[in-house]
Amino acid sequence: MINKDYITADWARKTAETQLGVEAQKQFETCLNAIATSVAKNQFSVTVYFYANNTCIEELKKRGFKAEAKSDQREGDWTKITW
């Protein structure tokens, strides 16, 4: 039997936060790439077609962007970013 003594509430919390951070980082990088592409086309907004999590949205706001995530049963998920 495998020893599972390392599994504690602290371990579970830190592991979950790290995983969320990895997902948020992927979303954030996707958003930054989409922003750069839109700027090259002289646009002032971009829509990415996923529901950005709060960590990603907060990082965008720290950089001065406005970001709003939406979810619609018929139309799916998207996040609109403006500057």
Side-chain angles (χ1 to χ4, degrees), residues 67-79:
E68 186 175 8
K70 298 280 188 174
S71 182
D72 184 273
Q73 187 174 7
R74 290 172 276 156
E75 296 179 17
D77 299 334
W78 70 94
T79 302

Side-chain angles (χ1 to χ4, degrees), residues 8 13 17 21 23 27 29 37 40 42 55-56 58 75-77:
T8 64
R13 188 175 307 105
E17 287 172 351
E23 181 64 26
Q27 287 184 355
E29 287 177 20
T37 300
N42 294 325
T55 304
C56 178
E58 287 175 17
E75 296 179 17
D77 299 334

Side-chain angles (χ1 to χ4, degrees), residues 5 7 10 43-44 52 64 68:
D5 289 342
I7 298 177
D10 254 356
Q43 297 173 338
F44 293 90
E68 186 175 8

